[in-house]
Amino acid sequence: MTRSEPVSIEVSLADRSYPVLVGRGLLDRPDSYAAVPTGVRRALVVTQAPVMAAGHVEPVEVALQARGIDVVRHELPDGEMAKVTDVLHGTWRAAAAAGLGRGDLVVAVGGGVVGDLAGFAAATWNRGVAVLQVPTTLLAQVDAAIGGKTGINLPDGKNLVGAFWQPVGVVCDVSALTTLSPRLRTEGLGEVVKYGLIRDPRILELIEGRLDDLQAGDTSLLEDLVRRSVAVKADVVSGDETEQGARAHLNLGHTFGHVIEALTGYEQVLHGEAVAMGTVVALQLGVRLGHTPGHVAARGEAVLHSVGLPTRPPRLDRERVWEVMARDKKATVDGIRFVVLDDLARPIVVTPPRSVVDAVLDEIAAAG
């Protein structure tokens, strides 16, 4: 396994600031876990079977034990359907059985599902214990593990129950991405492209210029993309922890993307795939509203398509679409909020009338 010295990117939140380490060969290094608070005596490691099968969990446990921490493992069911109340209850019971105290630690080793549920369990166990995020998927490394958003899903919508609970640190070992299936690695690019569109166009240039390397899973390229994506999210979260302003820009593609996930049962379409389709909707909405230049929308869609992400959403019952959007956390009394682009790297939030959104959806469906 090739190693690289990690780059540490700070999420600056006063006394709750924490580092995000990005590198290769980090999982088994005890110094990767230096952000763990002193005094932690026990850790509940929360994970899923595919992560264990890929060999990512044991090195983390051994590294924690080398720091003098007693480790107890708790396995979640596989898939997005793990983000439900019954599984959360089981995680609380596991914490109780482990004797996890207020000064102890929850460690999330896995993708976004593990990070979201384990983070929420940590936020609520003993009214809040520390959580360390060790994301092992591209989507989790660039997005889900950073920023403190935790939660579970309801049939009514995605992440409707949750809490802001910042981790004590994040360890992104890009080497773990080599064990992902092509679909899971591609899924994460939905969020990576988002960062290129809203803040760092160099990301788009890297993808466009090194498409063959990307499709081959080149780890040095992936490391650069993860580092750039993390830098964008860390900067945004540092300035707006609870999404009162600029953090809303991170929701490009998510308003309609969450609808796709909810109405397809959370299993059929992966989160990054839904975000890609939702991004195309947002780009075309921006064009129709007179905000987004046509060439910017075309470029964004072309990049998403080139990496193998879907760009045409499934046909969904329109009334149900609006029911789900009305329940979404991004809905306000003024309407449904969408992030669109005034230009490349110039995101804004709009609340368009339903007639305009429906017209865009009809246009995309007709072109599909």
Side-chain angles (χ1 to χ4, degrees):
M1 175 179 61
T2 60
R3 293 181 181 269
S4 65
E5 281 305 307
V7 172
S8 181
I9 300 166
E10 187 85 353
V11 179
S12 299
L13 295 169
D15 60 348
R16 291 173 297 106
S17 298
Y18 56 92
V20 182
L21 298 185
V22 180
R24 285 170 281 159
L26 305 183
L27 293 183
D28 62 351
R29 293 172 51 169
D31 59 338
S32 296
Y33 307 95
V36 173
T38 56
V40 169
R41 60 185 180 84
R42 183 163 296 145
L44 182 71
V45 173
V46 181
T47 190
Q48 290 176 315
V51 188
M52 294 188 289
H56 301 323
V57 180
E58 188 173 349
V60 176
E61 294 174 335
V62 170
L64 291 169
Q65 289 165 343
R67 298 184 67 89
I69 298 171
D70 183 30
V71 173
V72 177
R73 185 186 299 182
H74 176 61
E75 181 185 344
L76 305 180
D78 193 24
E80 182 77 24
M81 296 308 291
K83 287 177 56 175
V84 293
T85 52
D86 286 350
V87 176
L88 177 64
H89 183 266
T91 306
W92 287 327
R93 294 296 302 275
L100 204 71
R102 184 168 289 179
D104 289 329
L105 179 71
V106 172
V107 183
V109 185
V113 169
V114 172
D116 283 357
L117 185 130
F120 190 32
T124 50
W125 179 252
N126 271 338
R127 295 193 175 95
V129 299
V131 61
L132 177 75
Q133 295 281 354
V134 187
T136 59
T137 66
L138 180 56
L139 186 134
Q141 289 187 1
V142 302
D143 185 55
I146 305 161
K149 283 187 176 182
T150 70
I152 58 172
N153 302 330
L154 299 178
D156 312 275
K158 187 178 175 73
N159 294 329
L160 288 179
V161 181
F164 284 99
W165 191 248
Q166 299 296 341
V168 296
V170 183
V171 180
C172 298
D173 187 341
V174 179
S175 301
L177 305 183
T178 62
T179 66
L180 296 177
S181 68
R183 185 184 180 192
L184 280 177
R185 195 163 60 234
T186 298
E187 175 210 7
L189 294 171
E191 295 283 2
V192 173
V193 172
K194 175 196 75 178
Y195 292 121
L197 290 169
I198 67 169
R199 184 68 75 94
D200 183 3
R202 177 61 180 155
I203 289 174
L204 304 181
E205 294 171 3
L206 284 168
I207 293 173
E208 292 164 331
R210 299 185 60 187
L211 192 58
D212 290 343
D213 291 338
L214 184 60
Q215 292 174 339
D218 183 284
T219 52
S220 63
L221 175 58
L222 286 170
E223 187 174 356
D224 195 7
L225 292 173
V226 171
R227 186 169 56 247
R228 287 179 173 277
S229 298
V230 168
V232 172
K233 182 151 192 184
D235 184 56
V236 172
V237 171
S238 296
D240 180 19
E241 179 183 4
T242 58
E243 203 171 299
Q244 303 303 307
R247 186 166 181 175
H249 296 159
L250 297 173
N251 290 324
L252 177 69
H254 287 63
T255 300
F256 196 73
H258 283 174
V259 171
I260 295 171
E261 290 181 273
L263 294 185
T264 56
Y266 298 112
E267 289 286 333
Q268 183 179 334
V269 180
L270 299 177
H271 176 70
E273 295 169 340
V275 167
M277 292 183 279
T279 296
V280 172
V281 171
L283 290 170
Q284 292 302 322
L285 180 61
V287 172
R288 182 169 283 267
L289 292 170
H291 289 286
T292 310
H295 68 89
V296 171
R299 183 184 183 189
E301 183 172 341
V303 173
L304 292 166
H305 178 75
S306 72
V307 300
L309 284 163
T311 56
R312 290 292 179 268
R315 293 181 181 271
L316 302 170
D317 180 87
R318 195 63 56 81
E319 292 304 317
R320 295 194 66 200
V321 165
W322 282 93
E323 287 173 10
V324 173
M325 284 200 289
R327 289 193 295 266
D328 192 89
K329 301 179 301 300
K330 292 173 285 298
T332 70
V333 293
D334 297 320
I336 309 301
R337 296 189 301 168
F338 283 81
V339 180
V340 302
L341 299 179
D342 258 350
D343 205 340
L344 189 60
R346 289 176 55 192
I348 59 170
V349 177
V350 298
T351 52
R354 173 171 175 168
S355 59
V356 174
V357 177
D358 282 343
V360 169
L361 294 175
D362 290 341
E363 184 178 89
I364 291 174

